[in-house]
């Protein structure tokens, strides 16, 4: 009985510990995605190189992509097309495939194109590492001492993915380690940014943010055609102006005619107001009366 209680207590403690750690991990993941979202571009970083160690630090970059993880994975694993959209590579070819592993030839210009470094590397199939999917590349041969690449993909939700690339190259040239690391972080930045741009252009319509007013849900369908209707009503309003002007001219003409009628009487009316003319008989009677 006492042993049973001890086992129950241990199980309960482990369950409480798991519940307490899960929100912390979720909060950490959310904090990373929020930081990358607010940055709006790739975040560069460096890591100490191990396994084996080197004086050259590994250069890395992380970015938030508004696209589902499968879309991002498809682009990351299209090794043969790197040269078409990642400016860091001027050559990329898949030489062979064996059990999910791709043998890839990569060539990168250095010294402003005056020289090139190249490698043939084995790129592993995606494997799970906690919440991440990891794709690793290991150097096989080339004109460099060592080459390592590691892609990390994590789904934030069904429409957002965090992508990271960590690069290490040990060239057979007398470059300062810090200068090599600076070039590695810059190359990782260009690579994850290029993948983001392509993934967001290929993402399903539902995963891309709406940028036009017509795509906003709930927008009235009659909003766009209202402008032509208003424009078409303008000629009708304009055409009514002449009719109104002619209608307003008639009362003015009538008023002027009435004014002229009151100011200048008709000839017949003027004649009726004058005394009548005398005839011959009237004049004769007047002459006889004066005599």
């Amino acid at each position: 009985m006492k042993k049973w209680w001890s086992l129950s207590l241990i199980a309960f403690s482990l369950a409480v510990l798991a519940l307490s750690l899960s929100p912390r991990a979720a909060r950490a993941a959310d904090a990373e995605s929020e930081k990358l979202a607010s940055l709006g571009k790739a975040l560069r970083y460096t890591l100490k190189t191990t396994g084996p160690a080197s004086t050259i630090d590994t250069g890395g970059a992380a970015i938030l992509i508004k696209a589902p993880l499968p879309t991002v994975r498809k682009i990351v694993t299209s090794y043969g097309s790197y040269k078409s959209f990642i400016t860091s590579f001027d050559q990329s070819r898949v030489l062979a495939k064996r059990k999910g592993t791709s043998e890839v030839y990569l060539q990168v210009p250095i010294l402003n194109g005056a020289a090139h470094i190249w490698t043939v590397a084995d790129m592993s199939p995606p494997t799970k590492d906690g919440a991440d999917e990891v794709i690793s590349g290991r150097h096989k041969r080339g004109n460099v001492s060592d080459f390592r690449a590691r892609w990390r993909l994590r789904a934030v939700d069904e429409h957002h993915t965090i992508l990271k690339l960590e690069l290490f190259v040990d060239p057979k040239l007398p470059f300062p380690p810090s200068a090599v690391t600076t070039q590695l972080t810059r190359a990782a930045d260009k690579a994850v940014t290029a993948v983001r741009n392509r993934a967001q252009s290929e993402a399903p319509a539902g995963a891309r943010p709406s940028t036009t007013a017509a795509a906003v849900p709930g927008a009235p369908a009659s909003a766009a055609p209202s402008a032509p209707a208003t424009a078409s009503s303008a000629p009708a309003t304009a055409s009514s102006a002449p009719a109104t002007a002619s209608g307003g001219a008639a009362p003015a003409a009538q008023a002027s005619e009435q004014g002229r009628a009151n100011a200048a009487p008709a000839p017949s009316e003027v004649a009726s107001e004058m005394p009548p003319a005398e005839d011959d008989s009237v004049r004769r009677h007047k002459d006889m009366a004066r005599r």
Side-chain angles (χ1 to χ4, degrees):
M1 187 70 176
K2 185 176 180 180
K3 186 177 180 180
W4 183 85
W5 275 106
S6 299
L7 292 174
S8 299
L9 183 60
I10 292 171
F12 177 77
S13 300
L14 290 174
V16 170
L17 180 61
L19 290 173
S20 64
L21 290 177
S22 296
R24 290 180 185 177
R27 284 196 299 271
D30 290 343
E32 184 178 28
S33 63
E34 289 173 3
K35 182 178 181 179
L36 292 172
S38 63
L39 187 61
K41 61 180 182 179
L43 175 65
R44 299 180 183 184
Y45 59 91
T46 60
L47 300 169
K48 287 295 179 183
T49 304
T50 58
S54 172
T55 56
I56 301 172
D57 289 341
T58 298
I63 201 166
L64 179 67
I65 302 177
K66 297 174 184 175
L69 189 144
T71 301
V72 179
R73 184 200 302 122
K74 179 182 177 182
I75 296 170
V76 168
T77 55
S78 61
Y79 308 115
S81 63
Y82 278 10
K83 63 181 181 293
S84 65
F85 70 96
I86 302 178
T87 57
S88 301
F89 300 98
D90 59 2
Q91 290 291 332
S92 59
R93 295 195 301 272
V94 176
L95 303 179
K97 287 186 177 181
R98 302 182 191 89
K99 298 180 180 180
T101 298
S102 299
E103 187 180 64
V104 182
Y105 171 82
L106 300 171
Q107 180 176 288
V108 179
I110 59 173
L111 302 176
N112 296 322
H116 293 80
I117 58 174
W118 64 272
T119 181
V120 174
D122 279 341
M123 305 298 294
S124 70
T127 57
K128 291 294 290 183
D129 182 14
D132 295 357
E133 280 190 15
V134 178
I135 302 169
S136 299
R138 280 285 183 174
H139 176 67
K140 293 182 69 175
R141 61 185 183 274
N143 65 350
V144 296
S145 297
D146 197 0
F147 167 84
R148 305 173 211 172
R150 183 165 56 245
W151 291 99
R152 287 187 174 273
L153 301 84
R154 180 170 70 248
V156 178
D157 54 39
E158 61 180 356
H159 297 307
H160 296 81
T161 305
I162 292 177
L163 176 66
K164 298 179 182 179
L165 174 59
E166 295 161 0
L167 287 173
F168 170 78
V169 175
D170 186 0
K172 294 179 180 178
L173 294 170
F175 292 144
S178 60
V180 176
T181 300
T182 299
Q183 294 299 316
L184 293 174
T185 55
R186 186 178 301 169
D189 184 331
K190 289 181 179 180
V192 296
T193 301
V195 173
R196 179 199 64 181
N197 295 342
R198 173 161 289 200
Q200 291 184 174
S201 67
E202 295 181 3
R208 294 196 298 268
S210 300
T211 56
T212 60
V216 177
S222 60
S226 61
T230 306
S232 63
S233 65
T237 307
S239 63
S240 65
T244 306
S246 60
Q254 293 174 359
S256 61
E257 289 175 2
Q258 290 176 359
R260 286 196 300 270
N262 294 333
S268 60
E269 294 176 353
V270 173
S272 64
E273 290 177 0
M274 295 176 65
E278 297 179 342
D279 55 12
D280 293 339
S281 61
V282 173
R283 286 197 297 271
R284 282 196 301 269
H285 284 299
K286 286 183 178 180
D287 291 339
M288 289 176 66
R290 281 196 297 269
R291 291 191 188 108

